[in-house]
């Protein structure tokens, strides 16, 4: 079933006003949708744009950058304009995952110094033209402590007021830890996605980070449980997703299964969600992006079971 | 005495070979199909001809009749030629009879190869064909972005919640995916439990965003919440208390949408001024000093040998001092920015 969405529904108005022979004023839409859709349905954007989302975890290596890259590209494929910011001042990785490392010439530090404009520092992805990357700094440059938060706030304001329009989503890839980098990254954010794995160390750090986010005024926090192994959960060697939720008390945005394709996609610089056919992890990222757009959360999780034993006549379709 | 020999040809059948000195020349006939794929080599058919040399000097006794095989003359009658072809047919027929069982297979292979070639040629022609001078050419050449054009088919995106690879069970409680069976377990977190967790965290983690960053040893300013002070160790790798960036300038840089970036423009202007200065100095150095005018510029002094030297140098000093612009005009922006930055850090 194809659906062509051209503009939000408006009451019918005549083309011309016959009394004055003047065309009626054009209605002002919040955001004209320009893409012609070929899939069954499109997620309905909820909340005010731009939605500034920080993707954080506390513990390093749980999949923040992978989540940022895949969710960001999924949002771009849905037709939304996305700006992904790598807020790690010292260690930059998001450009590697996206395969854009050779195209990063300017960063936010150069913009602040006056070496380039903001639009020159934005790297547009050639695969999806509505996805842009912005890095905070190059590895050896310094950003004064306490100044980074202000810089990010100015950055978001500048993106809102740019000529091609405000982006729909601004995703901020937060560095690990709860140090100055974390404080810088969460400064302009309105909502947060907490990435965690089902192990006790990650859960403890995630709980601490959630507390800091709530102290800073960010209340809309959802979690993504990454690197889930359903076979280990079945064998009770790993905490289940429901156990994780019980410990943290956060709404579930997505459950990403462990997938070796993640490493291959990192090596290629080709995010997982672009694979055809999609992998399990890629599907899960797309679903998480869908829920992020609609500000929804998971209502059920999948638990692995033993496959049904097929009888003799099952071969014939019984 | 020269003897003139004339050659007489008599064709003989291959069965009549009379002399061991017969020189056989095999004619090979090769023919190939016009498509250049198949070629056939006929078996050589030995043809023997009787060659008789007749000398004109009348010595007939020494004539030797040598049967030699020579190439057929092109002037041989067509009937004889046709007869020879027909006579060679039994060989082909013999071969066909020998391999009669697989002739169908051979012809089938030929037909298949021919069909494959035809299909390949057709496909290549179809891919190469394109109407000339359309927008598709611009996209192909990279002048236009293909994702913004309607000429190419847009990517079909599968709904992640309605993916055919995921099979939902009849009772909607089981899902089959990638060879594994999963059961749906509902989420049990309630809003009350969420609120309880939030209260727990607010009690456990009390944190205020740091607004003041001080080095170790600095005094705490008055009327400042100690919880908002961040102490930075001196060996911190990214600790820069003294801000090298002017905040106002940085904010303006961030909001700049058009034109040359500020720092590039400032460097360009400074370079431009430096070039102008150098050019002015070079012009002044080229000016030739007139002695009559130089005397007017000299100051009255007492006659003293020692005083002559500084008097001679005076006009040059006056000129060189005039050529130097005041130092305060050099790079006003950088100085101004430094002073303003110092002021902001002090405040």
């Amino acid at each position: 079933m194809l659906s062509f969405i051209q503009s939000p529904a408006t009451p019918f108005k005549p083309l011309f006003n016959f009394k004055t022979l003047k065309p009626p004023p054009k209605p002002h839409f919040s955001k004209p949708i320009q893409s012609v859709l070929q899939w069954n349905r499109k997620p309905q954007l909820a909340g005010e744009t731009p939605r500034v989302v920080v993707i954080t975890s506390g513990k390093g290596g749980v999949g923040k950058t992978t989540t940022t890259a895949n969710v960001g590209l999924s949002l771009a494929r849905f037709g939304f304009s996305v700006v992904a910011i790598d807020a790690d001042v010292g260690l930059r990785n998001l450009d590697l995952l996206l395969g854009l490392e050779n195209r990063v010439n300017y960063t936010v530090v150069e913009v602040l110094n006056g070496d380039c404009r903001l639009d020159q520092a934005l790297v547009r992805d050639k695969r999806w033209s509505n996805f842009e990357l912005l890095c905070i700094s190059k590895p050896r440059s310094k950003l004064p402590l306490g100044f980074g938060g202000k810089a990010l706030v100015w950055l978001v304001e500048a993106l809102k007021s740019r000529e091609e329009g405000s982006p729909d989503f601004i995703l901020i890839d937060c560095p690990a830890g709860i140090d100055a980098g974390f404080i810088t990254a969460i400064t302009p954010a309105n909502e947060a996605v907490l990435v965690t794995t089902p192990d006790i160390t990650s859960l403890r750090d995630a709980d601490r980070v959630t507390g800091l986010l709530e102290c800073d005024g960010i209340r809309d926090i959802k979690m993504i449980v990454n690197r889930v192994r359903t076979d280990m959960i079945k064998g009770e060697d790993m905490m289940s997703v429901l156990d994780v939720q019980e410990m943290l008390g956060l709404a579930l945005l997505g459950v990403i299964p462990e997938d070796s394709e993640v490493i291959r996609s990192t090596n290629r610089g080709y995010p997982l969600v672009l694979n055809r056919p999609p992998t399990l992890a890629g599907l899960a990222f797309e679903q998480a992006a869908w829920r992020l757009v609609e500000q929804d959360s998971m209502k059920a999780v999948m638990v692995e079971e033993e496959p049904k034993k097929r009888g003799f006549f099952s071969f014939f379709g019984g | 005495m020269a003897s003139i020999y004339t050659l007489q040809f008599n064709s003989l059948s291959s069965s009549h070979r009379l002399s061991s000195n017969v020189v056989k020349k095999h004619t090979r006939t090769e023919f190939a199909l016009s498509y250049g794929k198949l070629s056939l080599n006929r078996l050589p058919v030995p043809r023997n001809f009787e060659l008789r040399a007749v000398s004109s000097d009348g010595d007939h006794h020494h004539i030797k009749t040598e049967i030699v095989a020579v190439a057929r003359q092109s002037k041989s009658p067509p009937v004889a030629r046709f007869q020879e072809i027909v006579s060679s047919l039994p060989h082909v027929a013999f071969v066909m009879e020998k391999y009669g069982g697989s002739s169908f297979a051979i012809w089938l292979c030929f037909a298949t190869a021919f069909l494959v070639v035809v299909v390949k040629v057709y496909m290549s022609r179809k891919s190469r064909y394109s109407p000339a001078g359309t927008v598709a050419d611009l996209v192909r050449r990279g002048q236009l972005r293909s994702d913004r054009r309607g000429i190419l088919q847009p990517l079909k995106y599968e709904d992640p919640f309605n993916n055919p690879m995921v099979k939902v069970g009849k009772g909607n409680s089981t899902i089959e995916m990638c060879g594994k069976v999963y059961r749906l377990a509902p989420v049990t977190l309630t809003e009350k439990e969420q609120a309880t967790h939030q209260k727990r965290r607010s009690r456990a983690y009390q944190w205020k965003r740091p607004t003041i960053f001080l080095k170790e040893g600095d005094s705490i300013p008055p009327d400042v919440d100690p919880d908002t002070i961040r102490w930075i160790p001196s060996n911190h790798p990214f600790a820069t208390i003294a801000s090298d960036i002017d905040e106002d300038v940085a904010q303006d840089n961030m909001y700049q949408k058009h034109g040359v970036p500020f720092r590039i423009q400032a460097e360009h202007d400074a370079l431009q001024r430096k070039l102008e200065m150098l050019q002015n100095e070079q012009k002044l150095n080229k000016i030739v000093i007139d002695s009559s005018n130089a005397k007017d510029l000299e100051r009255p002094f007492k006659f003293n040998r020692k005083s002559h030297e500084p008097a001679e140098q005076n006009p040059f000093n006056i000129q060189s001092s005039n050529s130097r612009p005041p130092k305060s005009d050099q790079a006003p922006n950088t100085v101004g920015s430094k002073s303003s930055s110092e002021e902001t850090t002090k405040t």
Side-chain angles (χ1 to χ4, degrees):
Chain A
M1 182 177 73
L2 299 176
S3 61
F4 294 88
I5 300 175
Q6 293 176 350
S7 63
T10 53
F12 174 72
K13 286 185 181 178
L15 287 173
F16 285 97
N17 189 342
F18 291 101
K19 289 183 182 177
T20 59
L21 290 179
K22 284 180 184 176
K26 290 179 184 177
H28 295 282
F29 302 130
S30 59
K31 180 74 179 177
I33 301 169
Q34 297 169 359
S35 60
V36 174
L37 306 177
Q38 292 290 326
W39 49 86
N40 290 337
R41 57 193 181 114
K42 187 179 183 272
Q44 295 297 318
L45 180 61
E48 291 181 2
T49 56
R51 288 183 51 188
V52 187
V53 183
V54 61
I55 296 168
T56 182
S57 68
K59 189 171 183 295
V62 297
K64 294 183 293 299
T65 307
T66 305
T67 301
T68 308
N70 285 284
V71 169
L73 271 176
S74 293
L75 293 171
R77 286 175 59 195
F78 290 150
F80 301 106
S81 57
V82 180
V83 174
I85 300 173
D86 189 352
D88 198 335
V89 175
L91 305 170
R92 200 177 69 193
N93 288 317
L94 187 57
D95 55 336
L96 279 174
L97 249 75
L98 294 166
L100 302 174
E101 67 271 17
N102 293 329
R103 296 183 53 207
V104 177
N105 296 317
Y106 297 113
T107 63
V108 171
V109 170
E110 276 84 25
V111 176
L112 293 169
N113 287 337
D115 293 331
C116 69
R117 297 191 308 268
L118 178 59
D119 59 301
Q120 292 171 326
L122 285 165
V123 178
R124 194 178 291 271
D125 195 334
K126 289 179 181 177
R127 294 166 293 206
W128 297 97
S129 57
N130 49 347
F131 181 89
E132 292 167 290
L133 170 68
L134 180 64
C135 298
I136 289 281
S137 71
K138 290 178 181 172
R140 292 183 183 175
S141 60
K142 293 183 183 180
L143 200 65
L145 286 173
F147 183 74
K150 281 186 209 173
L152 272 189
V153 171
W154 297 336
L155 172 63
V156 170
E157 292 297 320
L159 286 172
K160 275 186 196 175
S161 60
R162 62 178 184 172
E163 286 180 350
E164 51 262 40
S166 166
D168 296 314
F169 285 90
I170 298 175
L171 302 182
I172 302 173
D173 183 21
C174 182
I178 51 173
D179 208 343
F182 168 78
I183 298 169
T184 298
I186 68 171
T187 307
N190 302 324
E191 46 191 290
V193 171
L194 188 77
V195 182
T196 182
T197 53
D199 63 278
I200 192 67
T201 54
S202 175
L203 287 176
R204 179 195 270 186
D205 294 349
D207 192 57
R208 179 79 188 268
V209 163
T210 308
L212 297 179
L213 289 169
E214 287 170 347
C215 288
D216 204 42
I218 299 172
R219 295 287 168 174
D220 187 358
I221 305 169
K222 292 191 176 66
M223 78 172 168
I224 287 180
V225 185
N226 197 13
R227 305 182 75 173
V228 170
R229 294 216 18 209
T230 50
D231 55 338
M232 289 184 72
I233 293 172
K234 192 171 76 172
E236 294 192 354
D237 292 325
M238 183 182 272
M239 276 190 281
S240 70
V241 176
L242 294 177
D243 294 334
V244 170
Q245 191 176 38
E246 191 182 330
M247 289 183 71
L248 291 180
L250 295 172
L252 261 178
L253 191 67
V255 175
I256 317 296
E258 175 86 65
D259 196 341
S260 57
E261 193 59 35
V262 170
I263 295 174
R264 288 194 204 102
S265 70
T266 305
N267 294 337
R268 288 188 300 166
Y270 196 74
L272 208 59
V273 291
L274 299 179
N275 284 6
R276 279 289 171 263
T279 59
L280 283 178
L283 268 178
F285 275 123
E286 287 174 4
Q287 292 174 359
W290 195 289
R291 293 187 197 99
L292 182 68
V293 171
E294 296 189 334
Q295 288 187 327
D296 194 10
S297 62
M298 286 179 79
K299 300 294 182 281
V301 297
M302 291 193 300
V303 178
E304 187 175 342
E305 280 199 335
E306 291 291 336
K308 290 178 185 176
K309 289 181 183 176
R310 292 173 180 261
F312 178 77
F313 295 102
S314 64
F315 178 76
F316 300 101
Chain B
M1 184 187 290
S3 61
I4 299 172
Y5 291 89
T6 58
L7 299 177
Q8 294 180 352
F9 292 94
N10 286 324
S11 68
L12 297 172
S13 63
S14 58
S15 58
H16 298 280
R17 297 185 185 181
L18 302 178
S19 168
S20 60
N21 293 328
V22 168
V23 174
K24 296 179 185 177
K25 183 169 184 181
H26 302 291
T27 59
R28 295 181 72 190
T29 308
E30 288 186 1
F31 62 91
L33 290 180
S34 61
Y35 297 103
K37 293 284 180 181
L38 302 175
S39 65
L40 252 162
N41 293 331
R42 265 180 50 180
L43 291 172
V45 177
R47 297 174 188 203
N48 299 326
F49 295 92
E50 180 185 350
L51 177 65
R52 189 180 295 161
V54 178
S55 97
S56 61
D57 56 1
D59 191 1
H60 296 280
H61 299 287
H62 296 284
I63 291 171
K64 286 182 182 178
T65 302
E66 293 181 353
I67 299 173
V68 293
V70 297
R72 174 188 291 281
Q73 277 191 351
S74 59
K75 292 183 182 176
S76 59
V79 176
R81 195 173 177 181
F82 180 70
Q83 283 176 350
E84 286 189 9
I85 290 170
V86 170
S87 65
S88 66
L89 273 177
H91 297 282
V92 175
F94 176 74
V95 169
M96 290 296 288
E97 281 174 6
K98 191 177 179 182
Y99 300 102
S102 61
S103 63
F104 177 72
I106 292 169
W107 285 114
L108 187 66
C109 290
F110 290 154
T112 309
F114 179 72
L115 196 65
V116 166
V117 166
V118 167
V119 167
K120 272 190 177 177
V121 166
Y122 175 72
M123 294 301 289
S124 65
R125 279 184 187 173
K126 195 179 176 185
S127 64
R128 270 188 273 120
Y129 174 74
S130 63
T134 63
V135 177
D137 289 327
L138 286 174
V139 174
R140 206 177 297 115
R141 286 164 54 193
Q143 300 295 328
L144 283 177
R145 274 197 225 168
S146 60
D147 58 343
R148 288 188 174 179
R149 303 296 307 174
I151 46 174
L152 295 180
Q153 291 180 358
L155 288 177
K156 288 193 177 178
Y157 172 72
E158 292 102 10
D159 184 352
F161 293 99
N162 192 21
N163 197 291
M165 286 166 45
V166 178
K167 295 172 190 173
V168 182
K170 288 177 184 176
N172 267 358
S173 62
T174 59
I175 295 172
E176 188 180 330
M177 200 161 57
C178 297
K180 293 182 182 178
V181 177
Y182 299 89
R183 178 178 57 83
L184 283 175
V187 163
T188 56
L189 185 76
T190 60
E191 287 186 6
K192 192 178 175 183
E193 286 172 353
Q194 265 186 296
T196 308
H197 277 282
Q198 283 177 2
K199 279 181 189 171
R200 172 187 63 80
R201 281 190 289 261
S202 65
R203 275 185 258 119
Y205 310 113
Q206 289 176 1
W207 174 78
K208 285 183 184 176
R209 173 177 283 275
T211 53
I212 296 170
F213 295 85
L214 299 173
K215 271 193 285 188
E216 289 175 354
D218 289 348
S219 59
I220 301 171
D223 300 331
V224 168
D225 188 357
D227 291 336
T228 61
I229 294 172
R230 179 68 178 269
W231 296 99
I232 299 169
S234 55
N235 59 347
H236 194 280
F238 295 106
T240 52
I241 296 297
S243 174
D244 296 332
I245 304 171
D246 182 6
E247 287 196 9
D248 294 331
V249 173
Q251 192 172 5
D252 292 338
N253 291 338
M254 185 66 78
Y255 288 116
Q256 184 180 8
K257 290 182 179 57
H258 303 285
V260 182
F262 170 74
R263 190 167 169 175
I264 306 293
Q265 186 69 40
E267 285 177 358
H268 175 78
D269 293 339
L271 197 65
Q272 198 72 25
R273 275 193 296 276
K274 195 173 178 182
L275 281 172
E276 285 171 6
M277 273 167 40
L278 286 170
Q279 284 173 0
N280 289 338
E281 281 181 8
Q282 284 175 1
K283 283 178 187 174
L284 287 168
N285 287 336
K286 285 179 184 175
I287 293 171
V288 176
I289 299 168
D290 191 1
S291 58
S292 60
N293 291 333
K295 281 182 183 177
D296 295 336
L297 295 169
E298 286 180 3
R299 292 180 192 171
F301 59 93
K302 291 179 182 179
F303 179 76
N304 191 354
R305 285 185 183 178
K306 289 180 185 177
S307 65
H308 275 291
E309 292 173 357
E312 288 173 357
Q313 288 174 4
N314 276 337
F316 297 100
N317 288 336
I318 291 168
Q319 288 176 3
S320 61
S321 65
N322 286 335
S323 67
R324 278 184 215 159
K327 285 184 183 178
S328 60
D329 291 339
Q330 289 177 4
N333 288 337
T334 54
V335 172
S337 66
K338 281 183 184 175
S339 62
S340 65
S341 66
E342 286 171 2
E343 286 174 2
T344 52
T345 50
K346 283 177 185 175
T347 54

